[in-house]
Amino acid sequence: MGLLLKIFIPLLGLALALYFYSAPENFNEEMLRGKRVIVTGASSGIGEQMAYHLARMEAHLLLTARTEAKLQKVVKRCLELGAASARYVSGSMEDTTFPAVVVREAENTWGGLDMLILNHIGYSYVNYFNGDVEHIRKLLETNFLSYVAMTASALPMLKESEGSIVVVSSLAGKTGSPFAASYSATKFALDGFFSSLRHELIIDNVNVSITLCILGYINTENAVRAMSHVIRRTPAPKEECALEIIRSGALRQRELHYPPMVGSLLLFQYIAPDLLDSFIRSYYEVENIRRPPPREGSGGAVTEPPAKGVPEKEKLGK
């Protein structure tokens, strides 16, 4: 098994990288010049880096996240980097009215939209699932339903511009990962919804692309703080990841796998699922996971966050 993992997985990763990264045309930064782009979860991590890349490409930017002070700094930096324009709307995606507010701001400001990049994420934790159904319900609101709501609000403008939807997801949304049951559930939901929506757009001859970005372990501050003590892997750079997300969206690719090894892992899901599960479990320092004690409540549900929590990746954004 060790030889198989060392030889065949890198080869499969290379083959899949060539497949997914090849496109009918080469990426050119001119593709984004003057484009009107919404980026959610844009005050830190991958979202922040996407904002800076898009600014250098002279796009018009509308950024959103929860923390206004951080957004103000990112907008200022985007203008310094050459953004055609940059503004922000701060708020929480836990507020069911907020997605429509963001899209309405784009419509009022630009009269249209070319690209919607959905990147925000809610609070989750790395630990054993202990029956906290309410946490999953709340996480679905932020990680899934707000994505659907923003898409529904933005689709009329995207249809008019023949634009793009870019959905930032995770390897945990393609194959189960331990200690992330709630998070993984929300990411699987994204795959199901947006893959189905892609079919419907094609059937109706609507030229709006959907790119699903399947990401592995990325070196954002919050991901490293949450995962470095439990995972045996070196995280990939957020700056390069952000650029690849923009590139895949501009080229209207179906999926992005980053880093490329993610693609080879997913191939094993179909040809050797038990091997894949074993390989994923080998990533984790299980001894560093402290199982939370059961709490009193309905069905053993947790009534307060576990001892070891993962901060929201900025609260909104990776």
Side-chain angles (χ1 to χ4, degrees), residues 39-62:
V39 182
T40 71
S43 63
S44 67
I46 297 169
E48 179 183 3
Q49 296 304 316
M50 284 194 283
Y52 296 154
H53 284 304
L54 288 163
R56 295 185 186 96
M57 298 171 193
E58 301 180 20
H60 294 277
L61 297 174
L62 176 58

Side-chain angles (χ1 to χ4, degrees), residues 2 25 48 81 96 158 176 192 290:
E25 57 181 318
E48 179 183 3
L81 290 171
T96 58
L158 291 170
R290 181 166 62 87

Side-chain angles (χ1 to χ4, degrees), residues 67-104:
T67 308
E68 184 173 14
K70 291 183 177 180
L71 281 171
Q72 289 173 341
K73 292 178 181 178
V74 175
V75 164
K76 179 181 178 182
R77 181 58 179 155
C78 285
L79 292 171
E80 293 170 351
L81 290 171
S85 67
R87 56 196 300 118
Y88 71 87
V89 182
S90 61
S92 171
M93 290 294 178
E94 293 177 8
D95 178 354
T96 58
T97 66
F98 186 61
V101 169
V102 176
V103 175
R104 188 162 56 248

